[in-house]
Amino acid sequence: LAHRDAWNKANALHNDISVNNVVIVEACSVNSETKEEELRRVAMLCDWDLCKYKENMCPGGRVPAQEVSFLIA
């Protein structure tokens, strides 16, 4: 869900999803209907240095040719 939210809200692809780049945070909130406390877990992505923004991608989500040599090296 975190990766989908990044794309839908910021037009960004993370490009480096791994165990070390996902942080799960617990948050306590109060349900407005039942007035009971609820524990929620939210996943957040960190380490965005390899992300790509939609406007910098070729059609179809491909990486521009000038960046391919960097990714292979």
Side-chain angles (χ1 to χ4, degrees):
L1 293 174
H3 198 259
R4 182 180 66 196
D5 282 349
W7 180 254
N8 290 337
K9 295 177 181 179
N11 291 322
L13 290 178
H14 188 275
N15 280 326
D16 190 19
I17 301 295
S18 68
V19 174
N20 296 324
N21 291 336
V22 178
V23 177
I24 299 175
V25 179
E26 291 184 343
C28 190
S29 61
V30 177
N31 184 314
S32 59
E33 295 177 11
T34 64
K35 306 298 183 200
E36 293 181 7
E37 287 188 354
E38 297 177 338
L39 180 64
R40 293 181 7 173
R41 290 180 180 92
V42 180
M44 296 188 302
L45 296 172
C46 57
D47 193 12
W48 287 84
D49 58 331
L50 296 178
C51 82
K52 299 289 180 194
Y53 292 97
K54 185 177 182 178
E55 65 266 13
N56 297 332
M57 293 181 186
C58 295
R62 294 179 186 84
V63 177
Q66 64 269 23
E67 294 185 29
V68 171
S69 60
F70 169 76
L71 295 174
I72 294 172

